[in-house]
Amino acid sequence: NAGVTQTPKFQVLKTGQSMTLQCAQDMNHNSMYWYRQDPGMGLRLIYYSASEGTTDKGEVPNGYNVSRLNKREFSLRLESAAPSQTSVYFCASSEGVTYTDTQYFGPGTRLTVL
Amino acid sequence: DAKTTQPNSMESNEEEPVHLPCNHSTISGTDYIHWYRQLPSQGPEYVIHGLTSNVNNRMASLAIAEDRKSSTLILHRATLRDAAVYYCILRSANSNSGYALNFGKGTSLLVTP
């Protein structure tokens, strides 16, 4: 099992460009998440999908959109990238959204916006 | 929401035990204590969790104070691979936001040979 995979691993964008970060999991999990991590900080939740067909905002959703394409895939889109969105983006998945559900993380996408 | 307080950094020698403290003085009775760690340039990974009793697994042990206002993650024999940032996180069993992993800054553990 690959677990949680993310593409691309690295990306450089210019201000105003758009891009989509891809995430897939092969653990048959119901729930998926997108986090961002700024230098020296902990992770902050951008959006999550409790189950296929649903998405909800997290702590820092402004400037992002998400799509739960199917049970396996959850994408994050930046419509008009800004330098403040320079960060490392992590996707995660879990069986459910309860307090005991362990979240499994991907390796991250390192995004720089110039 | 209840908050956690951890030291910014700690240092340990290889093959010695490490005790990573976490204070959570405003913890509620339905908050579970979770620990995740993040190795350099990787995503976080689950370590252990507990409610009231001490817990053990293959990675670590979790010691929870009787009043639950603090807890300690114990790595019994630190290896170089244990060098990581360790996050102590409270997750509520009594709210709709039980999914939330509220990462603070964590404790950066340095392991020296």
Side-chain angles (χ1 to χ4, degrees), chain A residues 7 12 16 21 34 39 41 49 67 82 86-87:
Chain A
T7 55
V12 178
L21 280 64
W34 276 106
M41 304 290 289
S49 171
S67 295
T86 293
S87 190

Side-chain angles (χ1 to χ4, degrees), chain A residues 37 42 97-99 101 103 105, chain B residues 32 34 36 38 91 93 99 104:
Chain A
Q37 184 173 34
V97 290
T98 71
Y99 57 92
D101 285 302
Q103 292 185 20
F105 287 80
Chain B
Y32 278 70
H34 290 247
Y36 280 70
Q38 186 174 19
R91 298 179 76 180
Y99 63 88

Side-chain angles (χ1 to χ4, degrees), chain A residues 6 33-35 37 43 88-92 105-108, chain B residues 38 42-43:
Chain A
Q6 295 183 234
Y33 312 80
W34 276 106
Y35 291 85
Q37 184 173 34
L43 283 71
V88 181
Y89 292 84
F90 291 99
C91 178
F105 287 80
Chain B
Q38 186 174 19
Q42 295 189 28

Side-chain angles (χ1 to χ4, degrees), chain A residues 6 21-23 33-35 45-47 74-76 90-91:
Chain A
Q6 295 183 234
L21 280 64
Q22 307 285 356
C23 174
Y33 312 80
W34 276 106
Y35 291 85
L45 183 65
I46 304 172
Y47 271 92
F74 189 38
S75 63
L76 179 73
F90 291 99
C91 178

